[in-house]
Amino acid sequence: MRRLVPPAIAQLIEAERSELDGRVGPLQLQFEPDPRESSSTAEESLDPLLEAYHAPLPRLIHRYRNRVLVLVTDRCAVHCRHCFRRAFTGSGSGEIDDHELDSIAEYLGQRPEIAEVVLSGGDALMLASARLLAVIDRLRRARKELVLRLATRVPIADPGRLDARLAAELACRAPVWLVCQINHHRELSSSARAALARVVDSGIPVVSQTVLLAGVNDSVEGLAALFESLVALRVKPYYLFQPDLVAGTSHLRVPLPHAIGLVSELRRRLSGLAMPTFAVDAPGGGGKVMLEPSSVISIGNDAVALRGVDGKIYHYPVEEGGGA
Ligand SMILES: *Cc1c(COP(=O)(O)O)cnc(C)c1O
Ligand code: SF4
């Protein structure tokens, strides 16, 4: 099978091979094709989130009232084998053009309830810098207070792309956030760390999203190491996702009951800063759903019963008046 990985990832895979003595590891599983991809289960599909049904305009996904997602390009710096948007990535639709951008800007202009726009794809940082900045400026002209997020794997897949100049250009267009997908602490090479530091130093807040993947990061120790490393790099772990039911990826999924157990243990172990929210995009287009067991045991007339970290039950009284 053809191998399509950028040099930064190829280096990580080589390092992993020698470290694991040739055994298949987290980097290889994420980025190298696997024969198991050719078999799909009945639950799987190419567009498990039914994103096509939530697209009021080409390249615009509007699933939640106050935020939208724009597919600015179908290209990525790396081909993740677990990609949940594979119906779109590499589809040949290319980059957003001025006409599509104008329509989206107009849509945003008419809907003041939309407060955040995620620039995604594909990978937002696959646009040339001048084009990326022009896209941001066009959206800003439509709605100057918009919060923008750039969804990307470039900090780990092509760290040099995020140079100080681009970071500064993005920072002066605040509020712009960077949302980076990072799944294993070995992805945090010295150049990836340097790229993240340049972005944070320039004043851009960075959060990370992690996909829970069998054989990649499905252990309490592995995830704890990743999240603690991120916090040390000033990157807030934001979401941990149970993977979507994408065709040909069942070998990468952890059974959900086991995943919930892993995350409960992590919750006990990690600080609030290091702990992301565990969520899944509900199959069939239901949107993101939080997956952690609730510590709210019951809501009574006199008190709400809560489970403490020690497993014991505590009661927080329900008071009269106030906000009710
Ligand atoms: C995930 C997602 C968002 C952002 O959701 P948050 O919970 O705010 O991170 C927005 N639009 C779509 C279509 C998404 O899938
Ligand atoms: S970077 Fe995101 S969109 Fe691109 S292949 Fe990976 S998961 Fe898919």
Side-chain angles (χ1 to χ4, degrees), residues 49 51 61-64 67-69 84-85 116 118 149 209 238-239 241 281 288 290:
L49 310 185
E51 289 196 318
I61 303 173
H62 191 180
R63 189 192 296 280
Y64 307 102
R67 55 213 194 274
V68 297
L69 189 142
F84 60 98
R85 204 172 274 137
E116 289 184 32
V118 184
R149 295 189 213 173
Q209 302 189 147
Y238 175 43
Y239 275 125
F241 288 117
D281 252 294
K288 290 185 185 72
M290 308 309 139

Side-chain angles (χ1 to χ4, degrees), residues 76 78-80 82-84 89 121-123 153 181:
C76 290
V78 71
H79 301 272
C80 310
H82 56 274
C83 180
F84 60 98
T89 48
D123 190 312
R153 287 203 91 171
Q181 184 188 144

Side-chain angles (χ1 to χ4, degrees), residues 24-77:
V24 176
L27 275 300
Q28 196 179 328
L29 274 170
Q30 282 186 79
F31 300 118
E32 294 211 335
D34 187 303
R36 288 172 291 182
E37 291 169 20
S38 50
S39 52
S40 319
T41 66
E43 296 79 30
E44 293 177 340
S45 74
L46 279 176
D47 181 12
L49 310 185
L50 300 182
E51 289 196 318
Y53 288 95
H54 292 87
L57 290 172
R59 296 182 185 273
L60 183 74
I61 303 173
H62 191 180
R63 189 192 296 280
Y64 307 102
R65 183 176 176 276
N66 66 338
R67 55 213 194 274
V68 297
L69 189 142
V70 181
L71 303 168
V72 294
T73 172
D74 70 337
R75 291 173 62 218
C76 290

Side-chain angles (χ1 to χ4, degrees), residues 39-230:
S39 52
S40 319
T41 66
E43 296 79 30
E44 293 177 340
S45 74
L46 279 176
D47 181 12
L49 310 185
L50 300 182
E51 289 196 318
Y53 288 95
H54 292 87
L57 290 172
R59 296 182 185 273
L60 183 74
I61 303 173
H62 191 180
R63 189 192 296 280
Y64 307 102
R65 183 176 176 276
N66 66 338
R67 55 213 194 274
V68 297
L69 189 142
V70 181
L71 303 168
V72 294
T73 172
D74 70 337
R75 291 173 62 218
C76 290
V78 71
H79 301 272
C80 310
R81 309 316 305 178
H82 56 274
C83 180
F84 60 98
R85 204 172 274 137
R86 66 182 49 194
F88 176 76
T89 48
S91 62
S93 52
E95 295 183 357
I96 191 166
D97 64 30
D98 283 336
H99 176 70
E100 292 166 328
L101 185 57
D102 283 341
S103 310
I104 290 173
E106 193 179 321
Y107 186 92
L108 294 170
Q110 291 162 354
R111 289 169 182 78
E113 69 274 17
I114 298 173
E116 289 184 32
V117 177
V118 184
L119 301 185
S120 183
D123 190 312
L125 289 178
M126 289 305 284
L127 295 183
S129 299
R131 181 62 181 156
L132 174 64
L133 299 173
V135 168
I136 292 174
D137 291 341
R138 178 69 187 91
L139 299 177
R140 276 263 177 275
R141 275 209 304 287
R143 291 275 312 286
K144 79 177 187 326
E145 74 288 6
L146 277 180
V147 174
L148 298 172
R149 295 189 213 173
L150 306 181
T152 182
R153 287 203 91 171
V154 158
I156 62 137
D158 184 14
R161 163 84 182 92
L162 259 168
D163 56 19
R165 188 161 151 207
L166 177 58
E169 291 282 5
L170 293 172
C172 72
R173 287 165 171 82
V176 174
W177 291 60
L178 200 79
V179 182
C180 187
Q181 184 188 144
I182 305 176
N183 297 331
H184 193 275
H185 64 85
R186 240 185 257 131
E187 291 164 39
L188 297 167
S189 62
S190 54
S191 41
R193 288 166 186 261
L196 292 168
R198 282 194 293 277
V199 178
V200 177
D201 285 345
S202 72
I204 298 168
V206 182
V207 301
S208 82
Q209 302 189 147
T210 297
V211 184
L212 180 64
L213 296 167
V216 173
N217 58 13
D218 56 338
S219 74
V220 172
E221 288 69 30
L223 288 170
L226 169 63
F227 299 145
E228 286 171 347
S229 304
L230 287 168

